[in-house]
Amino acid sequence: MARSKTRIGEANVEKILDAALAVFARYGLRGARTGQIAEAAGMSKPNLLYYFRTKEDLYAAVLERTLRTWLDPLAAIDPAADPAEALTGYISAKLDFSRRFPEASRLFATEILQGAGWLEAALRNDLAPLVEAKVATLSQWIAEGRLAPVDPMTLVFMIWATTQHYADFAAQIAVLTGRSLDDEEFYATTRDTVLRVVLAGVLPRT
Amino acid sequence: MARSKTRIGEANVEKILDAALAVFARYGLRGARTGQIAEAAGMSKPNLLYYFRTKEDLYAAVLERTLRTWLDPLAAIDPAADPAEALTGYISAKLDFSRRFPEASRLFATEILQGAGWLEAALRNDLAPLVEAKVATLSQWIAEGRLAPVDPMTLVFMIWATTQHYADFAAQIAVLTGRSLDDEEFYATTRDTVLRVVLAGVLPRT
DNA sequence: GTCTATAAGCGGATAGAC
DNA sequence: GTCTATCCGCTTATAGAC
């Protein structure tokens, strides 16, 4: 873990974590170079290693720092809310996350693509119970007839996949459309279309 | 490119490309180790480098070999077909691809996550025109009232994201559900749910 | 806390025998 | 075509001055 006793130390740790996020998100743990992270953080390599003794320590710290933000939108789904509003809010929050923190999304994507070895414990201990609770909420809505009888877990995966796609595959989207979520019009079209398709697909026919 | 004059050479090239797909899919170009690929291919490192002079040559060859299979299902969408049947066929084909060739999916995912530097030309020259044609097909269906007025490009991204997710994020899905597309029941639930949600979302209300 | 210098080892690629 | 041996640059990490 990081040494962070002084104020200047705290500031450096933040700079390192920001730089490390960018590099790890692009190359993964093995492909990342500590020299590259040090350069991006504006310090020498030995100085970086003064704060994080190994590349693995730094990687774990970046994952941990990012994990909390990652779980928040899902936790916000309220069983007492209207299903359409709750799903609209969740999809919007996820898409907004892809726009604001694309590197965080790509960090997790890279980690999971590579087998999730470092994230597996967190997925099991933190994400799994949360997902289970929200799947229960969706199931309850279905039982009450407020949601069409779709498999809740698959629905969650569809929402994750669709929204995270815009961060994870941004390079491909840029080639095919010339745009990104930073483009306000593109963002609006994407959000409206995703919301329309998903909601029309899962709300009960009236 | 690969040397492949003799029969034994051809066989080795195949073994190398298979091994390289597995390693590149997991670690990307930078993270992959030629020694690891050689070991997986059952030969010495110098022998591997006899067939592919550099790691980059090998990476380009793997990408190229995989690209054709990647584009086929999209090309198969027929403007003359019934929209519901065409979309059902495409989604099913994509999901089937994620089940049968998850490493190919992860190879492209890793490449695009890392900026698509090696794939950009192929995306621009091969994928972009194909996508443009299929988006035109979707637009025509919308104009004819056979498809709801959703943004066609977004619909394509949603289908890609949802189906590829099961290959690219298989590690996470395994932690959360204990299953994979190899599980016949899981595959059926996934296919049915994705088809149901997408089709209900994009077919015109009758 | 930060630096220069450097150790220690890994990884891509080559030489040359067979 | 395939191997053993090896070169050499790069990368992680440490030592020790400041």
Side-chain angles (χ1 to χ4, degrees), chain B residues 62-120:
Chain B
V62 174
L63 281 179
E64 190 195 344
R65 189 183 65 155
T66 313
L67 190 62
R68 288 165 224 150
T69 334
W70 191 245
L71 297 178
D72 283 347
L74 182 59
I77 293 181
D78 179 7
D82 172 67
E85 282 178 23
L87 288 177
T88 297
Y90 183 52
I91 291 169
S92 299
K94 285 288 291 177
L95 201 60
D96 195 51
F97 191 95
S98 284
R99 171 165 64 170
R100 287 161 59 208
F101 311 109
E103 285 175 334
S105 185
R106 289 193 283 266
L107 175 74
F108 284 125
T110 301
E111 162 66 13
I112 293 166
L113 268 168
Q114 300 190 356
W118 291 81
L119 210 49
E120 186 174 347

Side-chain angles (χ1 to χ4, degrees), chain B residues 126-146:
Chain B
D126 300 334
L127 181 60
L130 189 56
V131 166
E132 194 180 0
K134 299 311 171 180
V135 163
T137 296
L138 293 173
S139 296
Q140 183 193 327
W141 288 342
I142 292 169
E144 294 166 356
R146 298 198 290 159

Side-chain angles (χ1 to χ4, degrees), chain A residues 14-26 32 37-38 40-41 48 58-59 62 65 107:
Chain A
E14 286 304 309
K15 278 200 300 181
I16 292 169
L17 288 173
D18 289 343
L21 171 59
V23 176
F24 283 133
R26 189 170 172 102
I37 297 172
L48 182 153
L58 177 53
Y59 186 67
V62 175
R65 189 184 63 156
L107 175 74

